[in-house]
Structures are given as C-alpha cells and as structure tokens.
Amino acid sequence: MKKKTLYFWSFFVTIAFVLSACIFESDDDGLETWLSDRGMPSNYQVQTLTINDLKVASAKTYLDTTPKSGNANAVLGQVSNLSHDIVMDIAFRADTNFLNKLKSSDTSGAFLGLFWLRPLYNSKFFPADSLPYSEDLDVNVSWILQTSTNKKFLDSIMDIDDSTWYADLANWEATGSVDTVYSVKMAKGDTSIRLDLPSELVKGLKEIEGSARLQLRLSAPKAERIYRFYGAGTDYPPLFALYSDSTTFLNPAPSPFRMAGLVKSLEECSDCPVLHGGVSGGVLDSMIVEFSPEPILEALSEFYGDEFPYEGEDENDVRQTVIFAQLTMARDDSKGSKEFNWPIQVVPGSYVDSADMVYGDEDLRYRRMERYLPDSATIVKSGHQNLVFHEGDSLTLQLTYGLRDFINKASDGRNMKFAMRLGMPFLQEKKSLYSDYRTNTEDTLYMADGTPLYMSKGDTITKYFSYFDYARYDFSTAVENPMTLKLWLASKRGDK
C-alpha cells in the first residue's frame, strides 16, 4: 500500500502530540477523559488558572569560565562578548640526528596545522554569505616549553590527569609569548590552515635535549568571529610540525595528546541577566529565576475558595495536581547577537524534590529538565513559543514539573524556582513536530493498532542544527516586566 505519511522517531513525541491536542485544542472535558483513560481518579476535573502580573524576585546568571576539554572541538576567537583561546599539550622525543640538523639549518622552523570543522562549514545550513574567509588575524602565541633527558619524563607528563591540567591552566604563566599576524583564508571545502610558529619558539625548540613537552596557547582577542577546528581526540587533530628544511620533518610529527578551551567574559555587567550559548567551547550559562510564593498561593486560594496550601498531617497538598504549566514573559531580541540565521531554543529546568537534599544553607534540590509539549495550533500560526530570535515579542516556557512540585510542597514556604539556558538553533520554526521525521511515498509497515513501525525511504526533516550557536541573549526585558503563569489543574475538591 502506497501512502504519504510522517514517521515520528520518538514514541514519546507521538504520545505528547496526542496530549497536546487535548490540552490546547479541546475543552476541559477532553482532557478529563484523557486523564481518566490513564487511571486518574474519575472525581478529578481539569480547570485552568491564569495568574497575571507575576514579578521576578531574583534572577542570577552563572557563567562557568573554568578551562574545559577541547578534545572534540576547538574554538578560537571572539564572539558575543566572550573570547575563546585554545591550549594544546604536546609531548615528543627528537632523535639526535634530527636535532643536529635542526640546530645547524638556517631554514629550520615549526608550524601548526589546524583542521577546519568541516561538518559545520560544509553544512547546507551554514550561512552562505559567510564564506570564503579572507582576513588577517592578530594572534598571540604563548607557550611553556619543558625539556628533559630523563627517560621517564614523558611518562610523568602523561600521568597528569586531564582535570588537573585544566585547573592549572587557569593560572597560565607562559615562558614565551609573541604577537603575530596570520592571513586566514578559507573557502567551502578547504580542510586546514597552516600557522607558522614564531622564531622565538623555534629558538627554544633547537635547544631540546632528549624529550620535550610543549604547552601551546593561541589567543585572538581582536577577532570579529570564532573559528572552529577539530580537537585532539578526533580523526583530524592539530599537527605540530618541526622541520630542519622543507623536506626534513620530525618523524612522526606529533599531535597534541589533549587540548583545552579557555573562555573569558568581556561583559561589562557581571550581574546582568545575560545568557551565552555554545557548548563545544566550554560555555553553558544558566540563569536561576525565582518568584515569591505568595502571589501564586493567593491566586490558588481564591480560585479554590479555601485555604491554600493545605495545612494537615500530610505535608503534600494532594487535593490537586498540575497537569500542565506555562510561563509567558516579555521578549526583546534587539540586544542579542548570534552567528547563524536561526531562532534558538530556550531550555528550562525545574528544581524538584525527587532528590531533596539540604547541606547547611545550600539548596541541593534536583534540577530536572522540563519536557516540551508542542501546541500545534499556535506553532503553525506563529512558531514555537520557546524560541528567541524569531517573530513575536513573548517567550513561553513550560514548567510543569516545577509547578507540580512547588504546589505539592508549598507549605514549607519555598520560592518558585527554575533555571533556563540557551539550547540548539531551531530549523523548523513553524512545524509542530518536535522530532526529526521523514516524508515518504514508499511502503510503510504498520503495527496492529495502525502505528507506523518504520519507513524505508524518504526525506529526513531535521529539527535542530547540529552545532550550538555562540549566541548572547539579554533577558533584562523579561525579568524586569511582569510575567503570566497559566496552570492546567486536575482538582479533587468536592464538586470542583
């Protein structure tokens, strides 16, 4: 049988789609039926409550600038008020004959080969007007060079834990440093660039006796973009080439056995509600937002017409459960910046008591990432609601886990608290499916209940770009203006 159909890669997405139809496109009776079919008590009814003019009690941002692994991807340059450096750890042993040639040759030198992250730059989603690159790049090359004739020297270097090395990089004290200018050229399909290393470094390399360890750092603080390369742990690691003439190279030419990315914030305001995106360079900001409990509890008390929260023997207020919750805030994209021409998902996580721990004054409640439920009618009309850098002036986040936990535990006086960060660039802004899927005109196998089992052919529609956007977003407008909270509540309170 020939059919044109859509296949959901995730079973959850199918379930979520059905649930979203009940929540968004049907009346309350439709959702009550959905709950009843899944074992919820029949005396529960679903009601909605909208709480307007919620004001943020606090919004704190956290930018972790500790050095991170660069073994997968390496990022060099400056973008979105952050600068990105690359540090490589290279260990090698040069034979005596080569060293003699190196020291006696007037044409000896060293260069670093960096391989462009080709899946990114060759992607059909990479901005077509960005390539070719053809520019002069000011680079500071700094290094720490250690040499030894001890046979166990290289073993001792390899025994240093990566985490220890990353931590030590925060206190970088170079033994040599030179500012130089490189001509960077790249067209679509190019694989690598060559950076000739400064003569001051080559002079030190000529003095090697036995084994050597070179920690090499590249900084480009004046760059107007970032450059992405393969890291040390990939099939295309950077290559360190030491040569005595144009045809005689250290054999084998060593690659870094590990790499790190160092991030420095250039933000003028350290307390402003600004988030940066980009994971491969060690950036994963988060912002913790809190609301005072009183406005929410007062609205619930008025809604139910009795005391809220419930003060009884059970510490949980079990007379209702939050089926769905969404928080809508004002949005202003004008103060943001990004690399790619795509909207960016905002990902929330709520603090819940499934692993409640308090150590001293520190709140160690478990942060659980919220699961997104598409609203197909709204999405087709105006796009997904959890995106920035797209049409509209509002941002809506789903906080079902967090509000459910907050209401059940509200008697202890806690604030309503959640975290948010920038996620992936979103490619299908007005498609309601929240998963990769295929279009298909070939035969489809079906389960007994009619569910498509798989499809053998078809075009794959991708929901996300495969790489993070090194973006910056200012949430000042969001946290300075009142927000709106809407709750879908399954209530067991008498006839309600």
Side-chain angles (χ1 to χ4, degrees), residues 19-146:
L19 176 56
S20 67
C22 293
I23 288 180
F24 296 108
E25 297 168 3
S26 303
D27 56 20
D28 290 343
D29 291 338
L31 183 53
E32 183 182 359
T33 300
W34 186 91
L35 295 169
S36 178
D37 290 344
R38 283 149 184 81
M40 297 285 292
S42 59
N43 57 343
Y44 275 49
Q45 287 189 347
V46 175
Q47 299 171 291
T48 60
L49 170 63
T50 300
I51 306 172
N52 296 310
D53 298 325
L54 280 178
K55 295 183 179 179
V56 172
S58 68
K60 298 181 180 179
T61 54
Y62 298 88
L63 170 60
D64 184 2
T65 57
T66 55
K68 302 291 193 304
S69 171
N71 291 336
N73 297 327
V75 180
L76 176 66
Q78 180 176 302
V79 68
S80 298
N81 282 5
L82 296 180
S83 65
H84 301 266
D85 294 0
I86 298 174
V87 184
M88 307 171 204
D89 205 355
I90 306 168
F92 58 96
R93 181 181 290 108
D95 64 73
T96 303
N97 290 333
F98 180 85
L99 283 176
N100 290 335
K101 292 179 181 179
L102 181 71
K103 294 174 182 178
S104 61
S105 173
D106 293 332
T107 59
S108 60
F111 70 83
L112 183 69
L114 295 173
F115 293 86
W116 296 106
L117 191 61
R118 293 192 296 278
L120 168 73
Y121 293 110
N122 291 340
S123 169
K124 65 180 180 180
F125 300 114
F126 190 78
D129 58 354
S130 292
L131 294 178
Y133 294 158
S134 182
E135 54 209 15
D136 290 336
L137 182 64
D138 294 331
V139 178
N140 176 264
V141 182
S142 59
W143 61 89
I144 301 173
L145 181 61
Q146 301 166 270

Side-chain angles (χ1 to χ4, degrees), residues 84-342:
H84 301 266
D85 294 0
I86 298 174
V87 184
M88 307 171 204
D89 205 355
I90 306 168
F92 58 96
R93 181 181 290 108
D95 64 73
T96 303
N97 290 333
F98 180 85
L99 283 176
N100 290 335
K101 292 179 181 179
L102 181 71
K103 294 174 182 178
S104 61
S105 173
D106 293 332
T107 59
S108 60
F111 70 83
L112 183 69
L114 295 173
F115 293 86
W116 296 106
L117 191 61
R118 293 192 296 278
L120 168 73
Y121 293 110
N122 291 340
S123 169
K124 65 180 180 180
F125 300 114
F126 190 78
D129 58 354
S130 292
L131 294 178
Y133 294 158
S134 182
E135 54 209 15
D136 290 336
L137 182 64
D138 294 331
V139 178
N140 176 264
V141 182
S142 59
W143 61 89
I144 301 173
L145 181 61
Q146 301 166 270
T147 64
S148 177
T149 57
N150 190 321
K151 294 181 179 180
K152 296 183 178 181
F153 175 70
L154 294 185
D155 291 337
S156 67
I157 299 302
M158 298 296 182
D159 287 341
I160 299 174
D161 290 338
D162 288 353
S163 59
T164 300
W165 183 62
Y166 299 147
D168 289 343
L169 291 177
N171 302 310
W172 176 267
E173 293 185 7
T175 57
S177 178
V178 173
D179 292 322
T180 187
V181 177
Y182 292 108
S183 178
V184 176
K185 294 183 179 181
M186 178 194 177
K188 201 174 185 71
D190 285 354
T191 60
S192 64
I193 62 171
R194 169 174 168 157
L195 305 180
D196 287 290
L197 297 176
S199 59
E200 290 88 340
L201 174 57
V202 175
K203 181 179 178 181
L205 293 170
K206 288 183 176 183
E207 298 173 358
I208 293 173
E209 297 290 344
S211 302
R213 180 198 189 187
L214 173 63
Q215 296 178 80
L216 188 64
R217 178 171 180 169
L218 304 179
S219 305
K222 297 181 180 179
E224 296 182 356
R225 70 174 87 239
I226 60 169
Y227 306 88
R228 305 198 204 193
F229 304 99
Y230 283 103
T234 68
D235 291 335
Y236 305 98
L239 179 67
F240 172 69
L242 190 61
Y243 58 90
S244 61
D245 56 54
S246 60
T247 60
T248 307
F249 290 82
L250 177 64
N251 188 26
S255 291
F257 64 90
R258 61 187 167 201
M259 290 176 62
L262 278 66
V263 179
K264 180 181 179 182
S265 175
L266 306 176
E267 296 288 351
E268 295 181 358
C269 174
S270 60
D271 297 328
C272 292
V274 173
L275 289 182
H276 302 88
V279 173
S280 58
V283 179
L284 188 58
D285 291 14
S286 61
M287 183 166 67
I288 310 300
V289 180
E290 295 191 52
F291 296 96
S292 299
E294 289 81 10
I296 302 174
L297 301 184
E298 289 174 4
L300 287 165
S301 295
E302 183 177 348
F303 180 71
Y304 285 121
D306 61 7
E307 183 181 2
F308 197 97
Y310 176 67
E311 298 290 346
E313 295 181 0
D314 192 334
E315 64 178 0
N316 294 320
D317 195 326
V318 296
R319 296 171 297 169
Q320 72 290 306
T321 187
V322 175
I323 301 303
F324 186 75
Q326 61 181 22
L327 181 72
T328 300
M329 61 190 74
R331 200 190 85 229
D332 179 8
D333 295 345
S334 65
K335 294 180 285 186
S337 61
K338 56 189 173 73
E339 292 180 272
F340 309 129
N341 189 31
W342 299 106

Side-chain angles (χ1 to χ4, degrees), residues 293-473:
E294 289 81 10
I296 302 174
L297 301 184
E298 289 174 4
L300 287 165
S301 295
E302 183 177 348
F303 180 71
Y304 285 121
D306 61 7
E307 183 181 2
F308 197 97
Y310 176 67
E311 298 290 346
E313 295 181 0
D314 192 334
E315 64 178 0
N316 294 320
D317 195 326
V318 296
R319 296 171 297 169
Q320 72 290 306
T321 187
V322 175
I323 301 303
F324 186 75
Q326 61 181 22
L327 181 72
T328 300
M329 61 190 74
R331 200 190 85 229
D332 179 8
D333 295 345
S334 65
K335 294 180 285 186
S337 61
K338 56 189 173 73
E339 292 180 272
F340 309 129
N341 189 31
W342 299 106
I344 298 176
Q345 177 195 38
V346 178
V347 182
S350 292
Y351 290 82
V352 300
D353 275 343
S354 57
D356 193 6
M357 296 177 62
V358 176
Y359 181 78
D361 295 330
E362 187 177 1
D363 185 353
L364 299 178
R365 280 183 292 164
Y366 177 69
R367 189 168 76 187
R368 181 180 183 186
M369 302 312 296
E370 292 281 350
R371 181 172 289 177
Y372 181 78
L373 193 65
D375 174 0
S376 57
T378 299
I379 292 166
V380 171
K381 180 180 178 181
S382 55
H384 285 268
Q385 298 172 282
N386 64 337
L387 304 177
V388 292
F389 299 114
H390 80 130
E391 66 183 59
D393 56 5
S394 66
L395 171 69
T396 296
L397 302 179
Q398 298 178 6
L399 300 174
T400 304
Y401 297 149
L403 266 298
R404 183 180 301 155
D405 185 77
F406 167 75
I407 288 179
N408 281 342
K409 297 285 189 175
S411 58
D412 67 7
R414 69 182 57 196
N415 283 354
M416 173 55 204
K417 176 180 177 182
F418 70 96
M420 53 197 296
R421 62 176 175 83
L422 297 182
M424 303 290 286
F426 205 84
L427 302 178
Q428 307 299 332
E429 184 178 356
K430 291 191 175 182
K431 292 187 180 295
S432 60
L433 304 182
Y434 210 65
S435 175
D436 294 352
Y437 64 93
R438 285 181 182 174
T439 57
N440 185 58
T441 55
E442 300 297 324
D443 288 336
T444 303
L445 298 183
Y446 292 87
M447 298 172 63
D449 63 358
T451 302
L453 185 60
Y454 71 85
M455 289 195 249
S456 58
K457 296 181 181 180
D459 297 326
T460 298
I461 307 299
T462 306
K463 61 174 179 176
Y464 295 133
F465 189 34
S466 300
Y467 296 89
F468 279 86
D469 191 322
Y470 280 76
R472 176 188 185 274
Y473 199 86

